[in-house]
């Protein structure tokens, strides 16, 4: 997704913003000892540490970016840390989500994260929000907090966080990771650009893979997550130069950071309300099986058995990437990655004289492939609801997922 870059106005690149949080109660002896390496830094000092003690930070997601962010916020002495997450720990998370361990697999990420935070720093007040963040609850959730850290892995949530923070006049620190690339910035609509100034429109659904589809270099989470906490601490204490009006882009393969200046779009419409962000981002439903365009996993298994016995004839097309196919596949599926279908370069590998069944990981990419085939004149085509994840759950539970 290519950012919209505009020259950053001088007011969006302040030398230093005023401290976001007032100082809390004086540090006791144990706190002075715990945070002494902060206290002896002149720019932070005891007053800065008291601001951290009095701060309330909300973290969206206890996943790849949330894991290091939560640990470093706790270690830094941020007094209240809220966490929004409605997921459970999966074995595939442990490659990068370092706040969780093997013993946490199957548990709520919130509970695992809370235990890790309290084991690191029992002085922290951890507030759990076991909800799916949406337009109905975002404003209420954000209201008590001073700053929001957005570690979401989907565009609908990113735009939601942006708009809710703008309506409440709150800053938020944003990070994004995919494969070897990371991005991080600070958005604060009343003082500078917001996320919509960088990305005015979301990409077409399915065009940018999620980490679950495209992969992520595990250590990248620590690099970007630590930078997010650095920015949050600077905002809270009022030290240094904020990333407001700047985007940092990190390429882990070349070990290079580069900076892009961004500014407010003077022609942009003001943010006045929250909307349906899944509709805004064009997220296609993938669970319906009565719409004439989907097939469920058990029905596909029956059709595959019929095909093996010569009683059915169709082509099963896997539109994922080769690395995903190597992890797990459906017997008899032919690999034709989505990009080739969208560009038209791989249509010669998709027969027109046979029925077509498409599948991907969870249904989003196969729905996009189906739409492309329909436009190309393919009449008899459906896709697998829930993708190969649903296939493994319903048909071959001994196979791995990712």
């Amino acid at each position: 997704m290519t950012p919209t870059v505009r020259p950053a106005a001088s007011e969006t690149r302040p030398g230093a913003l005023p401290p976001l949080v007032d100082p809390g109660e004086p540090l006791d002896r144990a706190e002075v000892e715990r945070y002494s390496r902060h206290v002896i830094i002149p720019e932070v000092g005891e007053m800065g540490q008291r601001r951290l003690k009095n701060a309330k930070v909300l973290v969206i997601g206890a996943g790849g970016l949330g894991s290091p962010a939560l640990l470093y916020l706790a270690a830094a002495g941020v007094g209240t840390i809220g966490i929004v997450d409605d997921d459970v720990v999966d074995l595939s998370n442990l490659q990068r989500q370092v706040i969780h361990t093997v013993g946490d697999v199957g548990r709520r990420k919130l509970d695992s994260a809370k235990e890790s935070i309290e084991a690191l720093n029992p002085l922290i007040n951890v507030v759990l929000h076991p909800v799916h963040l949406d337009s109905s609850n975002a404003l209420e959730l954000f209201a008590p907090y001073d700053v929001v850290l957005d570690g979401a892995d989907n565009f609908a949530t990113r735009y939601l966080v942006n708009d809710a923070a703008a309506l409440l006049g709150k800053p938020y620190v944003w990070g994004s990771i995919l494969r070897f690339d990371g991005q991080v910035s600070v958005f604060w609509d009343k003082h500078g650009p917001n996320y919509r100034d960088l990305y005015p429109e979301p990409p077409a659904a399915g065009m940018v893979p999620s980490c679950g589809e495209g992969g992520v270099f595990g250590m990248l989470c620590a690099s970007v997550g630590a930078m997010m906490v650095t920015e949050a601490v600077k905002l809270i204490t009022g030290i240094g130069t904020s990333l407001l009006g700047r985007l940092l882009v990190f390429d882990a393969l070349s070990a290079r950071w580069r900076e892009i200046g961004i500014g407010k779009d003077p022609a942009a419409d003001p943010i006045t309300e929250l909307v349906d962000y899944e509709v805004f981002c064009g997220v296609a439903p993938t669970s319906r099986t009565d719409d004439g365009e989907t097939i469920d996993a058990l029905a596909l298994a029956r059709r595959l058995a019929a095909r093996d016995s010569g009683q059915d004839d169709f082509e099963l097309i896997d539109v994922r990437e080769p690395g995903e196919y190597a992890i797990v596949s459906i017997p008899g599926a032919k690999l034709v990655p989505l990009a080739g279908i969208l560009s038209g370069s791989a249509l010669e590998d998709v027969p027109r004289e046979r029925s077509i069944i498409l599948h991907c990981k969870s249904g989003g990419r196969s729905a996009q492939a189906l739409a492309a085939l329909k436009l190309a004149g393919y009449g008899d085509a459906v896709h697998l609801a829930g993708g190969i994840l649903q296939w493994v759950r319903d048909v071959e539970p001994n196979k791995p997922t990712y």
Side-chain angles (χ1 to χ4, degrees):
M1 188 176 180
T2 303
T4 298
V5 180
R6 301 179 186 86
S10 59
E11 65 268 19
T12 67
R13 297 191 62 178
L17 292 164
L20 187 63
V21 179
D22 292 330
E25 295 294 323
L27 306 178
D28 62 26
R29 178 177 177 179
E31 289 172 322
V32 170
E33 183 174 354
R34 173 182 284 270
Y35 306 122
S36 60
R37 300 307 189 270
H38 271 172
V39 173
I40 62 177
I41 301 175
E43 292 82 356
V44 180
E46 182 185 4
M47 200 61 66
Q49 194 62 48
R50 288 169 59 185
R51 295 184 194 277
L52 291 171
K53 179 180 180 179
N54 201 32
K56 298 177 181 178
V57 175
L58 181 65
V59 177
I60 310 300
L65 290 175
S67 288
L70 288 165
L71 291 173
Y72 272 109
L73 288 168
V78 171
T80 298
I81 300 175
I83 316 171
V84 180
D85 201 299
D86 64 347
D87 200 5
V88 298
V89 180
D90 182 82
L91 186 61
S92 66
N93 299 151
L94 303 186
Q95 166 256 6
R96 63 203 177 281
Q97 299 182 18
V98 294
I99 205 167
H100 313 297
T101 67
V102 172
D104 297 316
V105 172
R107 299 179 65 202
R108 295 194 314 174
K109 287 184 179 180
L110 287 179
D111 298 327
S112 171
K114 185 175 189 290
E115 285 188 7
S116 296
I117 290 170
E118 291 176 342
L120 175 64
N121 190 346
L123 303 178
I124 305 302
N125 175 35
V126 183
V127 182
L128 304 182
H129 302 285
V131 298
H132 175 72
L133 186 68
D134 59 30
S135 298
S136 70
N137 57 28
L139 295 175
E140 182 180 359
L141 286 174
F142 288 15
Y145 294 93
D146 301 304
V147 60
V148 177
L149 266 66
D150 178 17
D153 63 355
N154 65 86
F155 288 98
T157 302
R158 291 168 186 166
Y159 283 99
L160 168 61
V161 172
N162 175 79
D163 293 359
L167 288 173
L168 294 170
K170 296 181 183 291
Y172 75 102
V173 183
W174 167 76
S176 175
I177 50 175
L178 180 64
R179 294 178 177 161
F180 297 101
D181 300 321
Q183 300 181 12
V184 61
S185 190
V186 172
F187 299 110
W188 198 352
D189 190 59
K190 73 177 184 178
H191 289 294
N194 65 64
Y195 183 76
R196 289 179 180 270
D197 293 310
L198 181 64
Y199 295 117
E201 298 290 338
M207 290 301 294
V208 179
S210 67
C211 291
E213 296 169 340
V216 62
F217 197 49
M219 296 64 68
L220 180 65
C221 300
S223 301
V224 175
M227 185 60 72
M228 293 171 69
V229 176
T230 299
E231 290 303 305
V233 169
K234 286 159 58 181
L235 287 171
I236 291 165
T237 58
I239 64 173
T241 303
S242 168
L243 273 178
L244 183 64
R246 296 183 290 154
L247 172 70
L248 286 187
V249 181
F250 181 52
D251 179 352
L253 279 183
S254 65
R256 287 189 173 94
W257 290 91
R258 61 189 177 96
E259 179 181 310
I260 300 173
I262 54 177
K264 290 188 72 66
D265 179 2
D269 294 330
I271 297 167
T272 59
E273 63 178 353
L274 302 183
V275 299
D276 186 326
Y277 292 89
E278 293 198 350
V279 172
F280 173 70
C281 292
V283 179
T286 60
S287 60
R288 292 176 56 194
T289 58
D290 60 348
D291 56 7
E293 295 189 341
T294 56
I295 183 173
D296 65 40
L298 294 176
L300 175 58
R302 290 192 294 268
R303 289 197 63 180
L304 283 170
R307 188 178 73 171
D308 290 343
S309 65
Q311 300 175 20
D312 199 349
D313 184 38
F314 63 92
E315 189 78 73
L316 178 60
I317 302 292
D318 184 338
V319 302
R320 299 175 299 153
E321 295 298 312
E324 298 174 88
Y325 186 88
I327 293 174
V328 59
S329 62
I330 298 175
K334 178 181 180 180
L335 182 63
V336 183
L338 175 63
I341 294 176
L342 295 180
S343 69
S345 63
L347 290 183
E348 62 184 20
D349 297 322
V350 184
R352 292 180 179 273
E353 68 277 6
R354 304 177 70 189
S355 299
I356 302 297
I357 300 177
L358 303 153
H359 88 82
C360 62
K361 180 181 179 180
S362 59
R365 284 174 286 174
S366 58
Q368 193 174 8
L370 178 63
L373 291 185
K374 296 284 189 181
L375 287 175
Y378 288 78
D380 188 2
V382 295
H383 75 112
L384 176 61
I388 201 165
L389 294 180
Q390 194 65 47
W391 173 270
V392 172
R393 281 192 289 267
D394 292 350
V395 181
E396 295 188 276
N398 292 327
K399 283 191 170 181
T401 56
Y402 61 101

